[in-house]
Amino acid sequence: MTLIFGIETSCDETAAAVVEDGERMLSNVVASQIDLHAQYGGVFPEVASRAHIEAISHVARQALDDAGVTLDALDAIAVTRGPGLAGSLLVGVNFAKGLALGRDLPLVGVNHLEGHVYSLWLTGREAPVRFPVVCLIVSGGHSEIVLIEGHGQYTLLGSTIDDAAGEAFDKVARLLGLSYPGGPVIERVAREGDPQAYSFPRALHGEGYDFSFSGLKTAVLRAVQPPQEGRRLPKNEGMTPDQLAPGVNVADVAASFQAAVVDVLVEKTVGAAGEHGATEIWMAGGVSANTALRGAMSAASPLPVRYPPLKLCVDNAAMIASAGYFRFRAGYRDDLAMDVRPMWPLVSVAEVMARPVAP
Ligand code: KG4
Ligand code: ZN
C-alpha cells in the first residue's frame, strides 16, 4: 500500500488530499477562494497567493485528520509544479518541500493537467483502463485534447489558440452581467433559453483539433452591446444588465453561446478519439461539470464517455496525489531544488525524465 499526500495551489483553490495506491481517496480537502475573487470577475494573482499562505497549513492538517493518518504514514509528497500562477504555485511547492525535508520524504512534482487526467482514476472504475484513451481537458486556463497511450504517456492532439473554454464562459458571463465563475451561472441561465436563438460562430470547424473561442466572445459582445457603445470589449468591469442592448434575452444568448462551445468541443473530441482508435472518451477540468457538454458528448460518441464527479472536476489535490502516485511508481523524483513551471505543457513523463523542460 502506497500513501501519497497531494498538494494543489496552482490557481484559486488551496487543496490537500491523501490517496492510497493512486485510486482510493482517503481525504480530499479544498478551500476555495471564489468569494475573494468574485469582485474582480476573475482570479487576482496577488490575492490568490496570500490566501494560499493563510490556508495551506490548515488544509493540509485537515486532509491528514480526515484520512486518519499522520505524516509518518506517508510514502511521498506530490505537489502541483505547474502550469498556473507563479506566486500561487510557489506556496504549495515550498510547503511540500518543507514536509519532504522535515520528514525525509520523496518529492514528486506533478503537472496540473496530468492531475486533471488522473481525476478519472478516482471514480471507482469497475474495469481496468484500456489504452489508448482520448481526454478533453477543459478548465479556466486550458482547453486541450490529449491522447493517452499509457500512464504518463501523452500526446497533445489539439489545444486552444486563444481563450480557454472556461475563460470564455467567465468572460461571456461578465459581458452579460452575470457573476463569477461564469460556467455554472451560464449553464443555469441557459436552461431557460433557446440555443438556436443566435447563430454564434463555431471556430475552426472541421479544421483539425485546435480550438479558438475569442471570436465567439466578440460575437456575443456584438449581439448584446448597444450600437453606440462601440466595439471595444469591456475589461474587468464587464457590463451590468441595464447596459445591454434593448430586447436582449440573456437566457437565449447564454444558451446559444453554450451550444456553440459544446458543439466545437464535442465535434473535435469525437473526431480525435475516432482517428486515434481510443477505447473511451474522457473529460476533465471545471468545464466538464457542464451537463449540456456531458449530454452532447455522450449522445455524439460511439465510445463510452467518462467524466469525474463534480467535486473532482474542479481543482483538487486528490487528482494530484493520484498522478503523483503513478509518477512515483515509475521512478520519478524531484529534489529540493525543484522550481515552479508556470507555463509547463503536458508532456510525457519519459520526456520529463530524459531532459529538463524550459520554464
Ligand atoms: O478546473 P478548474 O476548477 O480550474 C482551472 O484549472 O482553471 O476550472 C474552472 C473553470 C471556470 O472557468 C468555470 O467557469 C468553469 O471551469 N466551469 C464551468 C462549469 N463549472 C465550472 N464551465 C461550464 N459549465 C459549468 N457547469
Ligand atoms: Zn484545473
Side-chain angles (χ1 to χ4, degrees):
M1 182 187 80
T2 304
L3 283 188
I4 307 284
F5 195 38
I7 295 167
E8 152 67 38
T9 62
S10 67
C11 190
D12 61 344
E13 261 93 29
T14 316
V18 179
V19 170
E20 186 185 306
D21 294 338
E23 292 185 344
R24 271 181 304 286
M25 204 161 48
L26 303 189
S27 65
N28 187 28
V29 179
V30 180
S32 174
Q33 306 173 3
I34 277 181
D35 295 345
L36 290 179
H37 300 289
Q39 59 181 308
Y40 306 109
V43 178
F44 198 97
E46 175 67 17
V47 172
S49 32
R50 281 169 178 255
H52 284 308
I53 289 172
E54 283 171 20
I56 186 119
S57 310
H58 308 290
V59 167
R61 162 64 50 208
Q62 190 68 47
L64 292 170
D65 289 351
D66 287 0
V69 300
T70 62
L71 287 170
D72 296 327
L74 302 174
D75 292 286
I77 312 283
V79 61
T80 306
R81 186 183 181 187
L85 300 169
S88 291
L89 290 165
L90 278 166
V91 178
V93 163
N94 284 327
F95 188 82
K97 284 184 187 176
L99 286 181
L101 181 64
R103 296 287 167 152
D104 201 18
L105 285 166
L107 180 68
V108 178
V110 171
N111 183 297
H112 180 79
L113 301 174
E114 182 174 26
H116 276 300
V117 167
Y118 278 88
S119 62
L120 273 299
W121 255 267
L122 297 162
T123 54
R125 296 180 58 97
E126 58 291 347
V129 174
R130 280 192 307 121
F131 296 108
V133 163
V134 158
C135 185
L136 172 69
I137 307 173
V138 264
S139 70
H142 299 275
S143 300
E144 326 215 309
I145 298 179
V146 178
L147 177 68
I148 307 167
E149 293 178 279
H151 285 294
Q153 290 176 39
Y154 312 106
T155 307
L156 184 65
L157 301 179
S159 60
T160 183
I161 59 170
D162 40 54
D163 294 345
E167 191 180 357
F169 272 93
D170 296 337
K171 286 180 174 171
V172 164
R174 215 149 63 205
L175 286 180
L176 295 175
L178 303 172
S179 58
Y180 173 83
V185 61
I186 288 200
E187 174 171 4
R188 197 172 59 244
V189 171
R191 286 200 195 109
E192 311 298 321
D194 173 5
Q196 286 167 353
Y198 295 83
S199 64
F200 289 134
R202 271 71 172 157
L204 305 180
H205 176 74
E207 294 175 43
Y209 302 129
D210 283 343
F211 307 106
S212 164
F213 295 111
S214 94
L216 172 59
K217 176 191 65 194
T218 309
V220 172
L221 176 70
R222 297 220 168 104
V224 303
Q225 198 177 37
Q228 69 274 22
E229 291 287 319
R231 305 230 142 156
R232 210 172 54 83
L233 265 180
K235 290 228 158 54
N236 276 343
E237 66 276 16
M239 302 235 253
T240 55
D242 59 321
Q243 289 172 322
L244 299 177
V248 167
N249 179 320
V250 170
D252 284 349
V253 177
S256 303
F257 159 77
Q258 179 174 267
V261 176
V262 166
D263 271 3
V264 173
L265 295 179
V266 168
E267 178 229 1
K268 297 200 179 239
T269 309
V270 170
E275 183 183 332
H276 291 276
T279 63
E280 293 182 352
I281 286 179
W282 293 354
M283 296 194 283
V287 182
S288 72
N290 187 281
T291 42
L293 174 61
R294 291 176 168 199
M297 191 72 84
S298 300
S301 170
L303 304 168
V305 175
R306 290 180 180 275
Y307 36 79
L310 286 185
K311 69 174 192 308
L312 293 174
C313 288
V314 293
D315 289 349
N316 65 85
M319 68 186 196
I320 302 302
S322 176
Y325 167 78
F326 288 99
R327 282 196 168 211
F328 180 70
R329 214 181 60 170
Y332 181 97
R333 303 286 185 277
D334 284 291
D335 61 27
L336 291 172
M338 179 177 83
D339 57 356
V340 297
R341 297 210 183 273
M343 309 286 280
W344 201 12
L346 179 63
V347 290
S348 293
V349 168
E351 243 175 291
V352 180
M353 288 168 86
R355 63 174 169 82
V357 287

